[in-house]
Structures are given as structure tokens and as C-alpha cells.
Amino acid sequence: GSSGGSSTGGMTHDGGSSGTSSGGVFGDAGPCDACAPGAIYVAPNGSDTNPGTLDQPLKTLTKAKALVQPLVPKATSDLVVYLRGGTYPVTSTLTFGNADSGQNGHYVKYLAYPGERPIITGGQPITGWKLSDSTNNIYSVSGITTPFRQLYVNGSKVVRARSPNLGANGALNFNRLTGADNTGQTIQVSATEVGSWKNLTKVEMHVMTGWGDNTVRLASISTQGSTANITIQSPENTILFVRPYPHLGGQFGGFTRHVYYFENAYEFLDQPGEWHLDETAHVLYYKPRTGEDMSTATVVAPMVETVVAVSGTSTSDQAGYLWFQGLTFAHSTYMRPSQYGFLDGQAGQYNLTATADNKQTVGRPAAGVEVTNANHLHFEGNMFTQMAATGLDLISGTHDDVVIGNVFTDIGGSGFSIAKFTASDTTEYHIPYNPTDTNEVCNRDTFKDNYINNVTTEIQGACGIAAGYPANVDIEHNEVANTNYTGISVGFGWTSAVNAMTNNKIDYNNVHDVVHILADGASIYTLSNQEPASEMLYNYVHDYQTSQWADYADNGLYLDEQTAGYTVEHNVMRNAPTNIAQNQNGADTVMDNGANPSMASSTVMNAGLEPAYTGIKAMTLPQLTF
């Protein structure tokens, strides 16, 4: 049958679309008692020539959208599309627009069939592995013509070959720079840490500077005595050596505090669970982990940057009233670092330009699921996973959207992102964002009862939750854990000027085990004027300290430059930095915070996921069946 898992609510691993016995497409599936009358059904082993009934389901969501569109104008209740368990591969972005939207207050709902786990994937399977180096137990596949930066084997991410290797059980591990020359545009490391690598210009160096991570592509290496001098490619060299913040050499601590690792050379392929793609020869190599049989392994490479997009026609002619529930969105790619490098300005926004007098422009990384110009969207009980950059991004022109009870895990950048950080990618990033078209501002969106864990794995300076300039955003009752920089960041621009932000709420969140690598972060971080009535209340912050890899210190709560309009009260900080950093703030009210504020026991008890949502933490990736 279809739902091989034994848990309630379909939250654990199950077999998806394996049932083939007679009596309907999914052998044991009788009529769904809870299913909406007149619903449309989709199944991986359906056919787009079918009518879309339970017994004769469609095969693709594209066809389901086409059947929904003519029904919308005359709908008198919500329209429902059920996805049976199994795998739905997309080879280009699946986009929902105005024609796919609900009308007259009725939703178009895309729901998992009860107890089943559909997965919408931008990944492609890689098969045909052969043992290519028996001495080192390395397998290979040739003919790989589309590059990628992540690889997943038997459901889990494997390591792009690197030096130094990770520590035991995947523990963080770095080398340190020995120096740098910003004028001569070279980076120095110990000569023992470099080699004569075959495809040198494909080798990348990830350098951590203050609060930002930098992925730069090597151009050359020359060795003098015990020192190796590294030059890097353009455009990275036009930014890294010029930019004053975050600065190579450091505002605090100097060059030799900076940690780094190399990545992407065949010569680094020396540990089980590492892989390398030789883009020149189009050969993929992998060194299996214990117990992996490459003749039966499921190997997935991400191929689509944005798997699903909701995109309205304009700020005044929006998409909306779309509901997604019980779905898994997975396997987005993000190739910009391979093409241009990636230098994080702040909060995962990458530098396009930087000048010595601190004029900077930034771009926004792609997301696995993106939303623009859409209102009254509802995302509930979904999983966003195995994505290269951001998980879910409400970019601009959103209002009254609800993101509740979802899981964000194994994500390269920020788990969730919302609102513009700059007006455009040519706008200097200190210029306050305050558009004349107020419909462009992300307004009255709710992000609640979500579990964000193990994100920022590729863009280490991204955040669990990264908000640019939202208005009336409600970030509450989330659990955020295991980030390499800040847990929750709201605000941008370092400005005291009136801007799009107002009345933002960061309340009742459980934030722990954050800022694993970088400096100058915090569990919760804010920037700029967010007057009036913004608040940071009843958050429980615990179990992290400044990392051994950080250039300098991290904080408990951080009200950074020109933060204004916040009431910060009753936040509990335990086994964590208990300071509240306030750097050039406007008017804020800060009282009754620390290890034991007056409301401590009830805050600890009530922060994080509410009881109805605690079960989402058990959610796992559905089995892939390509």
C-alpha cells in the first residue's frame, strides 16, 4: 500500500507510491472519508490524460493547475487538490500566478492525501556508479554535464570534498590564515595547507570574517618558505580586499583570527561520505560511507534553483488565497558561488560591490520556494529541506500570509526570509527602504510555530530567520536551532530614518545552539528604526557561547545600530551570553531580562512550539522514488 509508515499524522518515513495492487492506483486506498467532495487527485503513477479522480489521478501538478483554473471564478467553497504520497520531480520552477489563485475568499488548496508524504523535488537521480579507484574505494559516474554544489545519498547530505576535513561526527574544523595583504591582494596560509591541485581555478576557499562568510575562487598559489600566497579571481578580489565591513584583517582581532577551509578538489577526496565533481571531465566521484551499496543507493543532485514560486502580476494585482499543507519541498540548487564567488555583506545578502568608504550593494540569494506579490497564502505542516540557499522567501509585495507549523532543515542559507533588504540591487545598502508603493512592503505576515534546525550550512553568515524591512511581522513561538550566525535577524540599513518597518513582533521564540562559527551575532538581532510598538518579549535563549572559530564575541540579544521602537522585556538567557548589546540605539525600553527575570519559569515553559505543533520535530524526509 501507499502509506507504509506506522505513525499517526503521516509524520514519519513512509513508502509513498509503492502500492500497485488492483482496486485503484494505490492498492489499499479506499475512499478518503475526510476528503473534499469534487477534489482533484494527483499521483506519481497517474496520467495527465486521466480525469483527476481518486481512482484515475493526474500525474503532474501542472495539469492539476490547468484543471483548477476554470473552476475558480464560480467556486462557492475552497477547491482542493490532493497529492498522493511519492515523488514529484520538477525540471523548471513550478509557478502559481493570479490565474491559479483563489477568489472571493475561497482558497485553492494543495494538500497531502491523509497519512501520505508527497515530495516536490528539484533534484535528479544519478545512477550508473562504477568503482574507479579500488585502493581508495572511490566510485564514479561520467557524463555529468550540469554542475551542482550539493549531493544527497540515501536521504542525507554528503560532504563536498574539503581540506581540512570535518572532525569526528561532522564537527566543525578549520585552518587559520597566517596573514593577508589588502593592497597586494593576497591571502597567506601555511604552505603545508596547500598542494599542486589539478584544477586550481575550480578550488574554492571559504574565509570567515567577523559576521560574514566569503566563498572565493582561487586564481594562483605561490610558495615562499613556510608561507603560501593565494590570489583570488574577479569579482571576489574587487570586494574582499576593499570592503571595510566585514573586513579582511578584522575590525577586531586581525588577520590570523580568520578561519577557512578549501573545497572542491579531487585531491581532497579522502574521507567516506565525500564527493567531487570534475566539471572539466564531467565525472562525479564519491567515496561511500560504511554500508552504502552504490548499485542500490539513491543519489540526488539538485538541478532547479527555485522549485516552487508564487508570483502575482504586480503589487496591485496579486496572487493569493493559495494553501499548501503536508508537502515536502526539496533539492534546490544555487550556482552563483561557483560563477562569481559569494561574499556575505550581512544576513546572507551577498555583495555585488563595495568601496573603501563603505558604500555597498547587495543581492538576494535564490530560495527553494519564493513568494512575490501575493496575499493570504497559507503554508502549514510542510517540510523545506535539502535546499542550497534560502528555504522559503517572502520577497516583496506580500500581506496577510501565514506560515505555521512547518519544518526548515538542512538548508544552505537562511531557513526563512522575508521583505526587501534594499530597494534594488543597485541601491546602496544604508539607504532606508521606504517605497512610495506601500503594497510592495511585506505587511501583516505571520511566521509562527515553525521549527528551524540545521540551516546556514553553505552561507554561514545567513540566519535562521532573516527579515529585511517588514512591517507588522509576527515572528512568534518558533524554535530556531543550529545556525552558524544569528538565530533571528530583523531589520537592515543601519538607519535612524523612518522606513518601511513598524510594529514588528519577535515574541515567545525558543532560540538555542546558534552562532556556531561567526562573530558579532546573537540569538535575536535587530537593526534600524522600527517605531512604534515593535517588541521582543518572552523569548527563551539558551545553550550557546562564542565559538572558538569566531573572530571576536557574540551576544545574547543584540539591538544594533539605530534600533528604535522596541520593548525588550522578560527574555530568559541561560547557558548563553546574557548581555544585551545596544549599539547607537534610538528610543527602546529594555528591562527585566537575563538568566532569571520575573517571568522566567512561565517564559521557559511557553516559549517555542505550542503543544499542537511539537510533533513536527519528528518529521523526516519522505523516501524518494524517481
Side-chain angles (χ1 to χ4, degrees), residues 444-466:
R444 297 189 307 273
D445 295 312
T446 298
F447 187 81
K448 184 177 180 182
D449 284 298
N450 300 286
Y451 179 50
I452 297 180
N453 180 49
N454 186 33
V455 299
T456 72
T457 61
E458 307 260 336
I459 302 169
Q460 286 93 357
C463 307
I465 298 170

Side-chain angles (χ1 to χ4, degrees), residues 256-273:
T256 57
R257 290 291 305 166
H258 297 326
V259 299
Y260 80 91
Y261 60 100
F262 293 118
E263 191 176 69
N264 199 38
Y266 180 83
E267 291 86 353
F268 303 154
L269 188 57
D270 60 353
Q271 294 275 308

Side-chain angles (χ1 to χ4, degrees), residues 106 113 116 273 297 332 362 440 515 557 567 577 615:
H106 303 307
Y113 187 85
E116 296 182 4
S332 61
V362 291
E440 188 181 280
V515 287
L557 305 175
T567 299

Side-chain angles (χ1 to χ4, degrees), residues 171-217:
L172 293 169
N173 189 34
F174 300 92
N175 291 327
R176 291 191 190 272
L177 304 190
T178 59
D181 177 354
N182 283 319
T183 306
Q185 297 202 343
T186 59
I187 299 170
Q188 281 84 51
V189 303
S190 169
T192 61
E193 294 165 3
V194 302
S196 51
W197 303 317
K198 185 176 73 168
N199 291 324
L200 178 71
T201 58
K202 292 292 187 183
V203 178
E204 297 171 2
M205 187 177 190
H206 297 238
V207 185
M208 310 299 159
T209 52
W211 59 88
D213 64 302
N214 308 277
T215 300
V216 298
R217 300 163 301 152

Side-chain angles (χ1 to χ4, degrees), residues 150 291 564:
Q150 297 80 31

